[in-house]
Amino acid sequence: MAVPIAVLDCDLLLYGRGHRTLDRFKLEDVTDEYLVSTYGFPRQFICYLVDLLGATLSRPTQRSRAISPETQILAALGFYTSGSFQTRMGDAIGISQASMSRCVANVTEALVERASQFIHFPKDEVTVQTLKDDFYGLAGMPGVLGVVGCTHVAIKAPNAEDLSYVNRKGLHSLNCLMVCDSRGVLLSAETHWPGSLPDSTVLEQAALTSHFETELHKDGWLLGDSSFLLRTWLMTPLHIPETPAEYRYNMAHSATHNVIERTFRTIRSRFRCLDGSKGTLQYSPEKSSHIILACCVLHNISLQHGLDVWSAPATGHMEQSEEEYEQMESVDSEACRVRQELLLTHFS
């Protein structure tokens, strides 16, 4: 009886049956320069990912010809860093479109499973103090535990009726809330918020807020721009500075907060699938959110491996939020008192 062609594995059609694992591409067969130019990362970094994710990517499968962890990781890195269509990147390593899609999905989920391992706030006192000292060294702003900001990543329209992902520019996007340290290491990343939500609403509903209000540090704060409301744990700039101390505070705040903008530029420059230059992410909001988070994990791992040169601004379309909002002072009297004390103690 004839077998319908639709149930056949594309890779079996292309390569036939043979070894159980498909090792079409070998790291040792290419130069370091080729790896960096094609996959965005050097050999040592790729080998680290193979060690980190290998067991997960080698899970038992019903498929007769599994793709090796190394090939899966190369396929995913190629997609993340080039933003190329999966068919073209799949051709480069000799796998089909369907297999390329599975590789990206498998590696993405493996990285997301490890997000808390690589993206988290420090907990021990020594590391927390080092965090503050590093921020203070930038522009003299004391007590800073991180800088927070939002950035939009364009996605395809989920469906015609769902307007929750349409941002103020009329584009479908995810609004991603992130916090980083003075080197650009991400301490928090929430990548799933619909693009229609303003930054202040995202923060109000975020796990980050619950984390700071119920657990974190009474002797420090995050820095956020004026799209957020002032809180005891979140220092924002003064809308209309009047005194020399207020001007000095705003200048130190701006110079320190700029780290998150540079981090956004680095992420979208390194992971071109996010910058919009090759089109929007062609996945559901949930899968797109996971791809963004996977790139955030890779960003932190790359910094751990010394790949920490700040990238030049990219020309794509992944943009920081530039919301139109009415400037208003916080009604939180305690937050106002904390900021005023900071002004008097450190900037007067």
Side-chain angles (χ1 to χ4, degrees):
M1 183 177 68
V3 178
I5 190 70
V7 305
L8 294 178
D9 188 328
C10 297
D11 292 321
L12 296 182
L13 293 175
L14 288 171
Y15 300 101
R17 293 187 181 274
H19 296 296
R20 189 169 184 81
T21 299
L22 293 178
D23 289 318
R24 305 179 184 87
F25 188 96
K26 297 288 189 180
L27 284 177
E28 59 266 24
D29 293 339
V30 295
T31 64
D32 291 340
E33 291 76 13
Y34 175 81
L35 290 173
V36 172
S37 64
T38 306
Y39 303 103
F41 293 97
R43 189 183 314 274
Q44 183 179 9
F45 181 89
I46 296 171
C47 290
Y48 173 82
L49 291 182
V50 173
D51 290 340
L52 177 70
L53 307 178
T56 301
L57 298 176
S58 299
R59 287 170 177 164
T61 175
Q62 299 300 314
R63 300 172 57 79
S64 60
R65 287 168 63 83
I67 299 175
S68 70
E70 181 179 281
T71 300
Q72 292 185 62
I73 288 167
L74 288 171
L77 289 179
F79 171 70
Y80 297 149
T81 61
S82 74
S84 296
F85 292 111
Q86 292 184 4
T87 48
R88 197 179 83 178
M89 186 53 64
D91 290 343
I93 52 178
I95 60 176
S96 66
Q97 166 70 25
S99 293
M100 180 73 188
S101 182
R102 286 193 297 272
C103 289
V104 173
N106 291 343
V107 174
T108 295
E109 292 311 305
L111 288 167
V112 168
E113 287 175 5
R114 290 161 177 78
S116 61
Q117 176 183 346
F118 293 99
I119 303 175
H120 56 81
F121 282 91
K123 294 183 179 180
D124 64 280
E125 293 184 6
V126 173
T127 307
V128 169
Q129 187 58 50
T130 299
L131 185 65
K132 294 179 184 179
D133 292 344
D134 290 343
F135 272 119
Y136 186 79
L138 293 179
M141 179 68 77
V144 179
L145 300 167
V147 288
V148 59
C150 284
T151 190
H152 285 258
V153 178
I155 62 172
K156 74 173 183 178
N159 57 64
E161 291 75 30
D162 190 350
L163 300 180
S164 65
Y165 292 93
V166 179
N167 62 32
R168 70 179 185 85
K169 295 184 178 181
L171 304 174
H172 290 83
S173 69
L174 291 169
N175 193 1
C176 305
L177 179 74
M178 301 186 192
V179 180
C180 72
D181 70 10
S182 63
R183 288 181 53 235
V185 175
L186 294 174
L187 307 175
S188 177
E190 299 186 36
T191 60
H192 61 283
W193 297 102
S196 65
L197 293 181
D199 295 357
S200 57
T201 303
V202 168
L203 181 63
E204 181 180 346
Q205 299 178 9
L208 177 69
T209 294
S210 175
H211 189 42
F212 264 83
E213 290 187 343
T214 61
E215 299 177 30
L216 273 181
H217 315 274
K218 306 300 182 184
D219 57 345
W221 38 73
L222 301 179
L223 297 187
D225 63 22
S226 295
S227 63
F228 302 117
L229 281 176
L230 179 72
R231 300 168 184 257
T232 56
W233 50 268
L234 178 66
M235 294 292 103
T236 60
L238 290 141
H239 177 34
I240 304 176
E242 297 177 348
T243 68
E246 291 174 346
Y247 276 103
R248 285 191 289 269
Y249 167 85
N250 270 15
M251 290 178 63
H253 187 291
S254 177
T256 307
H257 187 264
N258 185 55
V259 174
I260 191 67
E261 313 299 341
R262 296 168 69 194
T263 300
F264 288 151
R265 291 197 296 268
T266 296
I267 291 172
R268 71 174 181 269
S269 178
R270 177 169 280 158
F271 302 106
R272 303 307 295 269
C273 69
L274 306 182
D275 76 355
S277 62
K278 300 292 179 65
T280 61
L281 284 175
Q282 296 297 301
Y283 299 90
S284 68
E286 180 181 9
K287 289 183 178 179
S288 295
S289 171
H290 285 187
I291 287 173
I292 300 165
L293 185 56
C295 290
C296 290
V297 173
L298 289 172
H299 168 77
N300 274 11
I301 296 174
S302 70
L303 294 182
Q304 288 183 3
H305 282 73
L307 307 176
D308 57 356
V309 177
W310 292 107
S311 299
T315 58
H317 299 90
M318 176 184 174
E319 299 178 352
Q320 286 76 252
S321 296
E322 297 177 358
E323 297 187 350
E324 296 175 355
Y325 48 83
E326 180 182 356
Q327 289 276 3
M328 62 180 72
E329 196 57 71
S330 174
V331 296
D332 186 337
S333 59
E334 179 62 15
C336 292
R337 185 197 65 77
V338 170
R339 185 170 65 180
Q340 188 62 31
E341 182 177 335
L342 176 60
L343 280 162
L344 293 173
T345 304
H346 294 279
F347 295 98
S348 295

